[in-house]
Amino acid sequence: MTLPKALLCVLDEHPSAQPPEEAALRAVGFAAATVPWRQTSAQRGWMRLLPILDDPAVQAWVFCGASTDFTPAVLNRMAMLTLALRRPSPPLTACLLTGDGPEPELPHWLGDVRVFRRDKNFAARLMAARLKSRPLPPRPFHLAAHLDPLIGQWLEAGPTEGAQWPGFMAGTLGAEVTAFGVGPRGILPRKCTLERPLRGIRGDWGGREFSACAARNLIGADNACFLRVEGEPEAIFIAPYPEEDGLETRNQSAAYLELA
């Protein structure tokens, strides 16, 4: 019988060679492996975890650290890796807090993320909970991520099933949109023809600066817009092409999602 796998990401600055949390996971029947998060996340190394997490045999993904270790950057990369998964349902994600402090604030669309305070029973509770893992909640629009240490991080966005966009403006808060294109869903386009493209759009969204792009391309069920982003995107939005409305109206009619 094949054991369910668990990936443990240790957030401590100086993790031990054999974390007790890994031993606890193994004791209840997981085939567990540990990743020192800080060393792994340097130079886009965190993106290399995607093939591991996309394996359906990985049924638990655990972040372990103090409350202060769950920084916006850590939560953002957790969200981006979740968006990049292609498996039908994600592994059960958990945050194991090793001390006092507030629980991390996680976006609703990440679904059922378990938060444990350090105790000797967390691994057994996680083993039982994995059998009740559910698909992620629906999002207000189609959204996925493409992560590659060589070409960076891309967000793929499009309308929900049955809808079409006769042009779009797409942008992020907290990150820079450095390139964009349009193409079939599921794969980054190598080349495309953009209709009336607009680059380098900037503005204010609820007191936060956004970076965006726009084009008149029709987007429907089979294609999407792709944004290359530098930094840690806090949110992504899709709105009508800028010529159709004023900025205030676009903010009201936009589809918007907090990423972390």
Side-chain angles (χ1 to χ4, degrees):
M1 180 179 178
T2 303
L3 295 177
K5 296 180 180 179
L7 180 65
L8 175 66
C9 294
V10 178
L11 304 179
D12 294 349
E13 186 173 359
H14 302 292
S16 60
Q18 295 181 323
E21 295 81 10
E22 180 182 331
L25 290 166
R26 290 182 179 276
V28 299
F30 282 110
T34 296
V35 170
W37 180 261
R38 298 195 187 204
Q39 294 90 321
T40 302
S41 62
Q43 300 298 319
R44 296 178 177 171
W46 60 277
M47 298 182 186
R48 300 185 189 278
L49 298 179
L50 180 57
I52 298 173
L53 292 168
D54 233 354
D55 179 358
V58 177
Q59 297 185 18
W61 182 23
V62 183
F63 283 82
C64 176
S67 178
T68 54
D69 290 327
F70 288 85
T71 63
V74 171
L75 300 181
N76 176 269
R77 290 168 181 176
M78 178 196 298
M80 291 295 288
L81 283 165
T82 302
L83 281 173
L85 294 174
R86 296 297 178 261
R87 53 192 285 183
S89 59
L92 179 60
T93 306
C95 300
L96 177 60
L97 301 180
T98 58
D100 297 330
E103 296 184 0
E105 295 185 9
L106 302 167
H108 169 73
W109 65 266
L110 279 178
D112 187 20
V113 179
R114 303 299 174 97
V115 179
F116 300 106
R117 298 287 177 176
R118 172 175 277 175
D119 66 72
K120 61 183 179 181
N121 296 321
F122 90 91
R125 293 164 64 190
L126 193 62
M127 175 63 82
R130 71 183 176 85
L131 300 174
K132 302 176 183 179
S133 180
R134 297 183 295 273
L136 295 178
R139 300 162 194 161
F141 52 91
H142 166 73
L143 182 61
H146 301 266
L147 306 175
D148 188 294
L150 296 178
I151 62 174
Q153 55 185 353
W154 291 72
L155 289 168
E156 170 188 331
T160 54
E161 186 175 352
Q164 286 189 331
W165 295 342
F168 64 89
M169 183 176 81
T172 60
L173 282 65
E176 185 79 13
V177 177
T178 58
F180 79 108
V182 171
R185 293 188 180 186
I187 185 170
L188 293 175
R190 294 191 175 185
K191 59 175 64 177
C192 65
T193 301
L194 293 171
E195 301 178 19
R196 298 173 62 187
L198 298 174
R199 297 176 175 84
I201 303 172
R202 295 187 178 278
D204 180 88
W205 189 297
R208 293 186 289 176
E209 183 180 356
F210 70 75
S211 170
C213 57
R216 274 290 200 178
N217 297 63
L218 177 67
I219 294 181
D222 299 323
N223 63 346
C225 61
F226 296 81
L227 315 179
R228 185 176 67 194
V229 294
E230 293 288 344
E232 298 161 4
E234 300 169 6
I236 180 173
F237 67 88
I238 298 289
Y241 189 81
E243 287 185 356
E244 296 182 357
D245 301 295
L247 181 59
E248 181 178 352
T249 304
R250 285 203 309 275
N251 286 352
Q252 294 172 355
S253 61
Y256 172 88
L257 188 68
E258 291 279 354
L259 297 181

